[in-house]
Amino acid sequence: MTVSYTTDRMLHFGDCDISGTAYYPAYLNLLNGVIEEFWSAIGYPWHEIIWKERWGTPTVHLTCDFSKPSFFGDNLTFELTVTKVGKSSMTVEHKVLCGEEHRWSGKQVLAASWLDKHTSMPWPDEVRAKLLSFLPAEPAE
């Protein structure tokens, strides 16, 4: 069974263009907030890992598919699913819904990075173990 991290966001006036439709750069800002909240929820808040431990999780690849518009006042549900954990990167898939209606989806690759060296790094063992816990269990043979 796949474990997803789920959270809600309301579309505010500043997230929309003049027609009241969600503006895609605002979507990406909301998505970044979801990622930050995910890291806090699993015990690695950015304000601690960035300022104290000096590593971060920059996005190195991102694709988005927008299937239906969202509007000012809509309450969106973001579902984040970890689909791959590598030595120094992870892939997450995003599904964004308004009620039961699919609005957009995305696939994002984040990399563990030393902030002072600007280089990738292996995930710390405890972080990698936590990320792996989000992957579906291997079926028994």
Side-chain angles (χ1 to χ4, degrees):
M1 178 177 92
T2 302
V3 178
S4 296
Y5 175 77
T6 303
T7 188
D8 292 331
R9 294 284 190 281
M10 178 180 274
L11 276 177
H12 295 282
F13 179 77
D15 300 325
C16 300
D17 64 19
I18 197 163
S19 73
T21 305
Y23 186 50
Y24 78 92
Y27 264 156
L28 299 184
N29 192 42
L30 290 169
L31 187 66
N32 190 64
V34 169
I35 290 287
E36 183 175 358
E37 190 177 298
F38 166 78
W39 283 101
S40 288
I42 67 168
Y44 302 97
W46 280 358
H47 67 274
E48 290 182 11
I49 64 171
I50 289 172
W51 294 123
K52 295 177 184 172
E53 298 178 31
R54 302 299 299 149
W55 64 275
T57 60
T59 296
V60 297
H61 184 75
L62 176 65
T63 59
C64 298
D65 294 304
F66 303 99
S67 54
K68 215 161 193 188
S70 297
F71 302 95
F72 173 43
D74 282 352
N75 190 47
L76 302 177
T77 300
F78 286 75
E79 294 179 4
L80 178 157
T81 304
V82 177
T83 58
K84 182 179 178 185
V85 178
K87 184 180 110 178
S88 61
S89 67
M90 67 183 282
T91 302
V92 295
E93 293 184 12
H94 303 281
K95 183 165 53 168
V96 182
L97 307 164
C98 184
E100 298 296 316
E101 188 174 67
H102 183 265
R103 296 295 175 88
W104 64 282
S105 58
K107 188 172 186 179
Q108 183 175 17
V109 179
L110 300 128
S113 175
W114 291 116
L115 297 177
D116 297 327
K117 299 177 190 176
H118 303 287
T119 60
S120 67
M121 59 176 256
W123 293 114
D125 291 340
E126 65 280 359
V127 174
R128 189 167 196 281
K130 188 65 168 181
L131 294 174
L132 287 170
S133 75
F134 279 84
L135 294 175
E138 295 292 323
E141 293 189 31

